[in-house]
Amino acid sequence: MEHQVREVSLAVLNPNPWQPRRSMDADELATLAASIREQGLLQPIVVQPLEGGRYVIVAGHRRVAAYAKLQEAEGAKWSRIPAVVRTGLDDAKLAALAYTENVARSALTPVEEGRALQAMVENGLAQTNEDLAALVQQPVARIKRLRRLVAGPRVIRDAVDSGFMVTLGTDADGTERRELRKLELNSALCFVRLHEAFKLAAPKKADERIDRVIRKALAGNWSVRRCETFVEATIAGREEEPVTDSAPVQAALFTETKRRFVVDLSLAASASAEQLAEVRAAFERALASEPGQR
C-alpha cells in the first residue's frame, strides 16, 4: 500500500462518496482557513488515485474546503494541497475511514453518524450492528443507538441535528430571551420511545405532542435522567404533558451572528407582516453596522 506525500491540485479532487458530513459551519471554516494561512497545513489530507489523473478524498474535506476558500481570496498559491496517497481501498474502507476521521474530530452530529451507518448497511458494506461496529471501530451499543435515532421521527432528528429555538424567559423590558439548543442523543432516544407511545394513542397528533415535550425539555435544560423519568411517568399516566400556556414557540424566521444573517425561506411564506418587518429591520441594522463589526 502506497503512502507517499505529494502536492495535489484542488482541481483533480473528487469528494468521497461515503462522506457523512452534510454541511460545514461557515465560521469554523473561516477559522480553519485563517489557521492554515498562518501556520500552514499541520496534517495532510488522504487521497486515493482514480483513473485519468484524479483522486478521491479519503479524509480531509474541511481542509480542502479551507484551501479552496484561500485560493478564491488569494490566488494560485493555494491551488495545491499536501496529500498522503493511499491505494487499495475498497468501498468499505473508504466509508469506514470517512466515518472514523469525522468522529475523531467530533465533526458529525449523531444524525449524520446514524445516516452514514445506515448507508453502509443499505449499500451492502455491512449487514448487522456487529458488522458495523467492527468496520468503524465503535461500540455495538453506540451503533444501535445511532441507528435507532435515524429510524425515529423527523421532529426528533431535527431537534438533534439543527436544534430548536426556545424561549428562556423575558427581560425586564418585556423582550423574550431565546436560544438555539440541541437535543442530546440519549435524551432523544427517550423521546423516540415516548413518540411511539403517542402514535399508539393518537397517530396524527404524535409529532405535535413530542415537539412540545422536546421544547420544554430544552428550555428547562433537562438532564438525560430527567427525560427518562418524564417519559416513564408520562407513559404510565403519572405525568402531565406540557400544555401550551401561550402561543407555541416557533422555529426562528431568521438568525443573526457576528458573521452571518440567515433567513429561513421555508417559513417566510407563512410569516406575518410583523415578522417580515422584524427581518427587514434586523437586516438593515446589519448593513448599517461598522465594517469591523459585521
Side-chain angles (χ1 to χ4, degrees):
M1 183 178 293
E2 191 178 359
H3 285 82
Q4 298 177 353
V5 178
R6 64 179 66 167
E7 296 281 325
V8 176
S9 170
L10 300 184
V12 299
L13 295 177
N14 289 358
N16 187 337
W18 299 100
Q19 166 65 9
R21 182 199 294 273
R22 295 297 182 93
S23 62
M24 297 187 190
D25 184 272
D27 292 345
E28 292 180 1
L29 191 60
T31 299
L32 177 60
S35 174
I36 291 173
R37 182 193 294 111
E38 295 172 6
Q39 303 178 32
L41 188 64
L42 301 182
Q43 182 178 2
I45 65 170
V46 180
V47 298
Q48 175 166 252
L50 299 173
E51 294 181 0
R54 300 192 65 82
Y55 297 85
V56 62
I57 302 169
V58 176
H61 286 76
R62 287 178 70 248
R63 281 163 280 171
V64 171
Y67 258 70
K69 188 177 183 69
L70 290 169
Q71 182 186 16
E72 181 180 359
E74 302 177 17
K77 63 179 290 187
W78 301 104
S79 64
R80 302 179 69 83
I81 187 170
V84 174
V85 178
R86 295 187 60 175
T87 58
L89 301 175
D90 58 14
D91 281 349
K93 195 61 176 177
L94 282 174
L97 287 172
Y99 177 90
T100 54
E101 194 232 4
N102 278 285
V103 170
R105 295 173 181 272
S106 300
L108 299 177
T109 69
V111 173
E112 288 174 324
E113 285 191 64
R115 284 173 177 158
L117 294 169
Q118 191 60 28
M120 294 179 204
V121 173
E122 291 172 356
N123 285 275
L125 303 186
Q127 295 184 356
T128 66
N129 290 324
E130 289 72 20
D131 292 340
L132 283 171
L135 182 62
V136 301
Q137 298 297 298
Q138 290 283 312
V140 174
R142 179 170 175 80
I143 299 297
K144 290 180 178 179
R145 290 197 297 271
L146 292 168
R147 293 188 68 192
R148 180 165 170 75
L149 173 64
V150 296
R154 179 175 177 177
V155 62
I156 296 179
R157 297 197 308 269
D158 287 348
V160 174
D161 205 30
S162 53
F164 289 162
M165 291 295 296
V166 295
T167 299
L168 305 180
T170 305
D171 293 333
D173 62 359
T175 303
E176 285 188 340
R177 288 184 289 108
R178 298 192 301 172
E179 184 177 298
L180 180 68
R181 290 186 173 178
K182 295 184 178 183
L183 196 60
E184 188 269 339
L185 173 60
N186 289 324
S187 297
L189 294 179
C190 292
F191 294 136
V192 168
R193 180 184 170 207
L194 183 58
H195 185 271
E196 291 169 351
F198 286 164
K199 282 185 68 176
L200 290 175
K204 293 183 179 180
K205 295 184 178 181
D207 284 358
E208 178 185 345
R209 293 171 72 185
I210 204 69
D211 182 277
R212 286 200 300 267
V213 172
I214 291 172
R215 292 180 189 277
K216 182 178 178 66
L218 291 174
N221 201 26
W222 288 6
S223 66
V224 174
R225 182 56 187 158
R226 175 69 180 95
C227 294
E228 290 173 345
T229 55
F230 176 87
V231 168
E232 291 168 1
T234 301
I235 291 175
R238 301 192 305 270
E239 178 99 39
E240 293 186 6
E241 287 180 52
V243 296
T244 307
D245 299 322
S246 57
V249 178
Q250 300 295 323
L253 180 57
F254 71 94
T255 56
E256 287 182 88
T257 68
K258 291 182 178 180
R259 295 176 179 269
R260 290 184 292 173
F261 184 92
V262 181
V263 178
D264 189 336
L265 295 179
S266 67
L267 300 176
S270 59
S272 65
E274 291 77 9
Q275 289 175 311
L276 294 175
E278 182 182 358
V279 173
R280 187 177 299 109
F283 187 64
E284 289 174 352
R285 286 197 306 273
L287 291 178
S289 64
E290 294 295 328
Q293 298 176 339
R294 293 179 189 167

